[in-house]
mmCIF file with all atom_site columns, all heavy atoms in Angstrom:
data_model
loop_
_atom_site.group_PDB
_atom_site.id
_atom_site.type_symbol
_atom_site.label_atom_id
_atom_site.label_alt_id
_atom_site.label_comp_id
_atom_site.label_asym_id
_atom_site.label_entity_id
_atom_site.label_seq_id
_atom_site.pdbx_PDB_ins_code
_atom_site.Cartn_x
_atom_site.Cartn_y
_atom_site.Cartn_z
_atom_site.occupancy
_atom_site.B_iso_or_equiv
_atom_site.pdbx_formal_charge
_atom_site.auth_seq_id
_atom_site.auth_comp_id
_atom_site.auth_asym_id
_atom_site.auth_atom_id
_atom_site.pdbx_PDB_model_num
ATOM 1   N N   . ILE A 1 18 ? 96.077  111.569 88.073  1.00 98.00 ? 1252 ILE A N   1
ATOM 2   C CA  . ILE A 1 18 ? 95.722  112.923 88.549  1.00 98.00 ? 1252 ILE A CA  1
ATOM 3   C C   . ILE A 1 18 ? 97.052  113.736 88.496  1.00 98.00 ? 1252 ILE A C   1
ATOM 4   O O   . ILE A 1 18 ? 97.961  113.515 89.227  1.00 98.00 ? 1252 ILE A O   1
ATOM 5   C CB  . ILE A 1 18 ? 95.088  112.891 89.948  1.00 98.00 ? 1252 ILE A CB  1
ATOM 6   C CG1 . ILE A 1 18 ? 93.935  111.972 89.986  1.00 98.00 ? 1252 ILE A CG1 1
ATOM 7   C CG2 . ILE A 1 18 ? 94.738  114.347 90.392  1.00 98.00 ? 1252 ILE A CG2 1
ATOM 8   C CD1 . ILE A 1 18 ? 93.351  111.750 91.415  1.00 98.00 ? 1252 ILE A CD1 1
ATOM 9   N N   . SER A 1 19 ? 97.104  114.769 87.549  1.00 97.00 ? 1253 SER A N   1
ATOM 10  C CA  . SER A 1 19 ? 98.188  115.581 87.449  1.00 97.00 ? 1253 SER A CA  1
ATOM 11  C C   . SER A 1 19 ? 97.998  116.947 88.251  1.00 97.00 ? 1253 SER A C   1
ATOM 12  O O   . SER A 1 19 ? 97.917  117.987 87.775  1.00 97.00 ? 1253 SER A O   1
ATOM 13  C CB  . SER A 1 19 ? 98.287  115.946 85.995  1.00 97.00 ? 1253 SER A CB  1
ATOM 14  O OG  . SER A 1 19 ? 98.363  114.777 85.215  1.00 97.00 ? 1253 SER A OG  1
ATOM 15  N N   . ASP A 1 20 ? 98.077  116.635 89.665  1.00 96.00 ? 1254 ASP A N   1
ATOM 16  C CA  . ASP A 1 20 ? 97.746  117.769 90.582  1.00 96.00 ? 1254 ASP A CA  1
ATOM 17  C C   . ASP A 1 20 ? 98.273  117.400 91.922  1.00 96.00 ? 1254 ASP A C   1
ATOM 18  O O   . ASP A 1 20 ? 98.711  116.262 92.114  1.00 96.00 ? 1254 ASP A O   1
ATOM 19  C CB  . ASP A 1 20 ? 96.191  117.909 90.566  1.00 96.00 ? 1254 ASP A CB  1
ATOM 20  C CG  . ASP A 1 20 ? 95.732  119.291 90.530  1.00 96.00 ? 1254 ASP A CG  1
ATOM 21  O OD1 . ASP A 1 20 ? 96.630  120.264 90.909  1.00 96.00 ? 1254 ASP A OD1 1
ATOM 22  O OD2 . ASP A 1 20 ? 94.591  119.624 90.276  1.00 96.00 ? 1254 ASP A OD2 1
ATOM 23  N N   . GLU A 1 21 ? 98.254  118.292 92.904  1.00 97.00 ? 1255 GLU A N   1
ATOM 24  C CA  . GLU A 1 21 ? 98.575  118.035 94.232  1.00 97.00 ? 1255 GLU A CA  1
ATOM 25  C C   . GLU A 1 21 ? 97.310  118.132 95.075  1.00 97.00 ? 1255 GLU A C   1
ATOM 26  O O   . GLU A 1 21 ? 96.296  118.902 94.691  1.00 97.00 ? 1255 GLU A O   1
ATOM 27  C CB  . GLU A 1 21 ? 99.510  119.046 94.739  1.00 97.00 ? 1255 GLU A CB  1
ATOM 28  C CG  . GLU A 1 21 ? 100.942 118.982 94.153  1.00 97.00 ? 1255 GLU A CG  1
ATOM 29  C CD  . GLU A 1 21 ? 101.670 117.615 94.476  1.00 97.00 ? 1255 GLU A CD  1
ATOM 30  O OE1 . GLU A 1 21 ? 101.398 117.089 95.611  1.00 97.00 ? 1255 GLU A OE1 1
ATOM 31  O OE2 . GLU A 1 21 ? 102.267 117.129 93.644  1.00 97.00 ? 1255 GLU A OE2 1
ATOM 32  N N   . PRO A 1 22 ? 97.155  117.181 96.093  1.00 98.00 ? 1256 PRO A N   1
ATOM 33  C CA  . PRO A 1 22 ? 95.833  117.261 96.769  1.00 98.00 ? 1256 PRO A CA  1
ATOM 34  C C   . PRO A 1 22 ? 95.719  118.532 97.637  1.00 98.00 ? 1256 PRO A C   1
ATOM 35  O O   . PRO A 1 22 ? 96.806  119.119 98.001  1.00 98.00 ? 1256 PRO A O   1
ATOM 36  C CB  . PRO A 1 22 ? 95.955  116.045 97.810  1.00 98.00 ? 1256 PRO A CB  1
ATOM 37  C CG  . PRO A 1 22 ? 97.477  115.601 97.767  1.00 98.00 ? 1256 PRO A CG  1
ATOM 38  C CD  . PRO A 1 22 ? 98.045  116.142 96.447  1.00 98.00 ? 1256 PRO A CD  1
ATOM 39  N N   . ILE A 1 23 ? 94.551  119.000 97.759  1.00 97.00 ? 1257 ILE A N   1
ATOM 40  C CA  . ILE A 1 23 ? 94.219  120.204 98.698  1.00 97.00 ? 1257 ILE A CA  1
ATOM 41  C C   . ILE A 1 23 ? 93.911  119.768 100.156 1.00 97.00 ? 1257 ILE A C   1
ATOM 42  O O   . ILE A 1 23 ? 93.913  120.658 101.053 1.00 97.00 ? 1257 ILE A O   1
ATOM 43  C CB  . ILE A 1 23 ? 93.184  121.115 98.076  1.00 97.00 ? 1257 ILE A CB  1
ATOM 44  C CG1 . ILE A 1 23 ? 91.885  120.344 97.754  1.00 97.00 ? 1257 ILE A CG1 1
ATOM 45  C CG2 . ILE A 1 23 ? 93.816  121.907 96.775  1.00 97.00 ? 1257 ILE A CG2 1
ATOM 46  C CD1 . ILE A 1 23 ? 90.741  121.283 97.353  1.00 97.00 ? 1257 ILE A CD1 1
ATOM 47  N N   . ALA A 1 24 ? 93.536  118.494 100.311 1.00 97.00 ? 1258 ALA A N   1
ATOM 48  C CA  . ALA A 1 24 ? 93.223  118.041 101.595 1.00 97.00 ? 1258 ALA A CA  1
ATOM 49  C C   . ALA A 1 24 ? 93.451  116.557 101.721 1.00 97.00 ? 1258 ALA A C   1
ATOM 50  O O   . ALA A 1 24 ? 93.169  115.797 100.732 1.00 97.00 ? 1258 ALA A O   1
ATOM 51  C CB  . ALA A 1 24 ? 91.818  118.365 101.974 1.00 97.00 ? 1258 ALA A CB  1
ATOM 52  N N   . MET A 1 25 ? 93.946  116.067 102.860 1.00 98.00 ? 1259 MET A N   1
ATOM 53  C CA  . MET A 1 25 ? 94.101  114.622 103.027 1.00 98.00 ? 1259 MET A CA  1
ATOM 54  C C   . MET A 1 25 ? 93.542  114.357 104.455 1.00 98.00 ? 1259 MET A C   1
ATOM 55  O O   . MET A 1 25 ? 94.038  114.880 105.512 1.00 98.00 ? 1259 MET A O   1
ATOM 56  C CB  . MET A 1 25 ? 95.606  114.239 103.022 1.00 98.00 ? 1259 MET A CB  1
ATOM 57  C CG  . MET A 1 25 ? 96.108  114.341 101.456 1.00 98.00 ? 1259 MET A CG  1
ATOM 58  S SD  . MET A 1 25 ? 97.687  113.657 101.251 1.00 98.00 ? 1259 MET A SD  1
ATOM 59  C CE  . MET A 1 25 ? 98.840  114.994 101.637 1.00 98.00 ? 1259 MET A CE  1
ATOM 60  N N   . VAL A 1 26 ? 92.498  113.600 104.591 1.00 97.00 ? 1260 VAL A N   1
ATOM 61  C CA  . VAL A 1 26 ? 91.665  113.502 105.674 1.00 97.00 ? 1260 VAL A CA  1
ATOM 62  C C   . VAL A 1 26 ? 91.252  112.099 106.103 1.00 97.00 ? 1260 VAL A C   1
ATOM 63  O O   . VAL A 1 26 ? 90.833  111.379 105.174 1.00 97.00 ? 1260 VAL A O   1
ATOM 64  C CB  . VAL A 1 26 ? 90.235  114.395 105.447 1.00 97.00 ? 1260 VAL A CB  1
ATOM 65  C CG1 . VAL A 1 26 ? 89.453  114.320 106.592 1.00 97.00 ? 1260 VAL A CG1 1
ATOM 66  C CG2 . VAL A 1 26 ? 90.648  115.856 105.071 1.00 97.00 ? 1260 VAL A CG2 1
ATOM 67  N N   . ASP A 1 27 ? 91.382  111.877 107.391 1.00 98.00 ? 1261 ASP A N   1
ATOM 68  C CA  . ASP A 1 27 ? 90.712  110.588 107.934 1.00 98.00 ? 1261 ASP A CA  1
ATOM 69  C C   . ASP A 1 27 ? 89.379  110.968 108.404 1.00 98.00 ? 1261 ASP A C   1
ATOM 70  O O   . ASP A 1 27 ? 89.329  111.884 109.321 1.00 98.00 ? 1261 ASP A O   1
ATOM 71  C CB  . ASP A 1 27 ? 91.591  110.111 109.127 1.00 98.00 ? 1261 ASP A CB  1
ATOM 72  C CG  . ASP A 1 27 ? 92.789  109.367 108.758 1.00 98.00 ? 1261 ASP A CG  1
ATOM 73  O OD1 . ASP A 1 27 ? 92.953  108.952 107.606 1.00 98.00 ? 1261 ASP A OD1 1
ATOM 74  O OD2 . ASP A 1 27 ? 93.705  109.166 109.618 1.00 98.00 ? 1261 ASP A OD2 1
ATOM 75  N N   . CYS A 1 28 ? 88.296  110.468 107.918 1.00 96.00 ? 1262 CYS A N   1
ATOM 76  C CA  . CYS A 1 28 ? 86.981  110.750 108.384 1.00 96.00 ? 1262 CYS A CA  1
ATOM 77  C C   . CYS A 1 28 ? 86.293  109.599 109.074 1.00 96.00 ? 1262 CYS A C   1
ATOM 78  O O   . CYS A 1 28 ? 86.144  108.580 108.618 1.00 96.00 ? 1262 CYS A O   1
ATOM 79  C CB  . CYS A 1 28 ? 86.063  111.168 107.119 1.00 96.00 ? 1262 CYS A CB  1
ATOM 80  S SG  . CYS A 1 28 ? 84.470  111.756 107.603 1.00 96.00 ? 1262 CYS A SG  1
ATOM 81  N N   . GLN A 1 29 ? 85.769  110.044 110.284 1.00 96.00 ? 1263 GLN A N   1
ATOM 82  C CA  . GLN A 1 29 ? 85.180  108.917 111.147 1.00 96.00 ? 1263 GLN A CA  1
ATOM 83  C C   . GLN A 1 29 ? 83.686  109.197 111.162 1.00 96.00 ? 1263 GLN A C   1
ATOM 84  O O   . GLN A 1 29 ? 82.999  108.631 112.086 1.00 96.00 ? 1263 GLN A O   1
ATOM 85  C CB  . GLN A 1 29 ? 85.761  109.118 112.589 1.00 96.00 ? 1263 GLN A CB  1
ATOM 86  C CG  . GLN A 1 29 ? 87.179  108.829 112.758 1.00 96.00 ? 1263 GLN A CG  1
ATOM 87  C CD  . GLN A 1 29 ? 87.669  108.868 114.193 1.00 96.00 ? 1263 GLN A CD  1
ATOM 88  O OE1 . GLN A 1 29 ? 87.444  109.843 114.851 1.00 96.00 ? 1263 GLN A OE1 1
ATOM 89  N NE2 . GLN A 1 29 ? 88.289  107.843 114.635 1.00 96.00 ? 1263 GLN A NE2 1
ATOM 90  N N   . CYS A 1 30 ? 82.992  109.765 110.166 1.00 93.00 ? 1264 CYS A N   1
ATOM 91  C CA  . CYS A 1 30 ? 81.621  109.772 110.132 1.00 93.00 ? 1264 CYS A CA  1
ATOM 92  C C   . CYS A 1 30 ? 80.997  108.501 110.001 1.00 93.00 ? 1264 CYS A C   1
ATOM 93  O O   . CYS A 1 30 ? 81.584  107.595 109.532 1.00 93.00 ? 1264 CYS A O   1
ATOM 94  C CB  . CYS A 1 30 ? 81.065  110.868 109.077 1.00 93.00 ? 1264 CYS A CB  1
ATOM 95  S SG  . CYS A 1 30 ? 80.962  110.235 107.440 1.00 93.00 ? 1264 CYS A SG  1
ATOM 96  N N   . ARG A 1 31 ? 79.699  108.465 110.240 1.00 91.00 ? 1265 ARG A N   1
ATOM 97  C CA  . ARG A 1 31 ? 78.982  107.195 110.285 1.00 91.00 ? 1265 ARG A CA  1
ATOM 98  C C   . ARG A 1 31 ? 79.011  106.634 108.826 1.00 91.00 ? 1265 ARG A C   1
ATOM 99  O O   . ARG A 1 31 ? 79.080  105.376 108.667 1.00 91.00 ? 1265 ARG A O   1
ATOM 100 C CB  . ARG A 1 31 ? 77.565  107.378 110.788 1.00 91.00 ? 1265 ARG A CB  1
ATOM 101 C CG  . ARG A 1 31 ? 76.779  106.347 111.326 1.00 91.00 ? 1265 ARG A CG  1
ATOM 102 C CD  . ARG A 1 31 ? 77.455  105.583 112.430 1.00 91.00 ? 1265 ARG A CD  1
ATOM 103 N NE  . ARG A 1 31 ? 76.679  104.328 112.441 1.00 91.00 ? 1265 ARG A NE  1
ATOM 104 C CZ  . ARG A 1 31 ? 77.235  103.060 112.477 1.00 91.00 ? 1265 ARG A CZ  1
ATOM 105 N NH1 . ARG A 1 31 ? 78.440  102.929 112.308 1.00 91.00 ? 1265 ARG A NH1 1
ATOM 106 N NH2 . ARG A 1 31 ? 76.441  101.975 112.421 1.00 91.00 ? 1265 ARG A NH2 1
ATOM 107 N N   . ASP A 1 32 ? 78.705  107.424 107.854 1.00 90.00 ? 1266 ASP A N   1
ATOM 108 C CA  . ASP A 1 32 ? 78.695  107.003 106.438 1.00 90.00 ? 1266 ASP A CA  1
ATOM 109 C C   . ASP A 1 32 ? 80.137  106.231 106.173 1.00 90.00 ? 1266 ASP A C   1
ATOM 110 O O   . ASP A 1 32 ? 80.138  105.116 105.510 1.00 90.00 ? 1266 ASP A O   1
ATOM 111 C CB  . ASP A 1 32 ? 78.643  108.036 105.464 1.00 90.00 ? 1266 ASP A CB  1
ATOM 112 C CG  . ASP A 1 32 ? 77.397  108.753 105.499 1.00 90.00 ? 1266 ASP A CG  1
ATOM 113 O OD1 . ASP A 1 32 ? 76.431  108.192 106.127 1.00 90.00 ? 1266 ASP A OD1 1
ATOM 114 O OD2 . ASP A 1 32 ? 77.341  109.932 105.173 1.00 90.00 ? 1266 ASP A OD2 1
ATOM 115 N N   . CYS A 1 33 ? 81.135  106.872 106.614 1.00 93.00 ? 1267 CYS A N   1
ATOM 116 C CA  . CYS A 1 33 ? 82.626  106.257 106.214 1.00 93.00 ? 1267 CYS A CA  1
ATOM 117 C C   . CYS A 1 33 ? 82.721  104.915 107.001 1.00 93.00 ? 1267 CYS A C   1
ATOM 118 O O   . CYS A 1 33 ? 83.363  104.112 106.425 1.00 93.00 ? 1267 CYS A O   1
ATOM 119 C CB  . CYS A 1 33 ? 83.614  107.281 106.536 1.00 93.00 ? 1267 CYS A CB  1
ATOM 120 S SG  . CYS A 1 33 ? 83.625  108.719 105.434 1.00 93.00 ? 1267 CYS A SG  1
#
Side-chain angles (χ1 to χ4, degrees):
I1252 305 168
S1253 305
D1254 224 339
E1255 291 296 322
I1257 53 172
M1259 294 190 268
V1260 176
D1261 284 341
C1262 183
Q1263 295 185 308
C1264 83
R1265 201 56 196 123
D1266 297 336
C1267 289

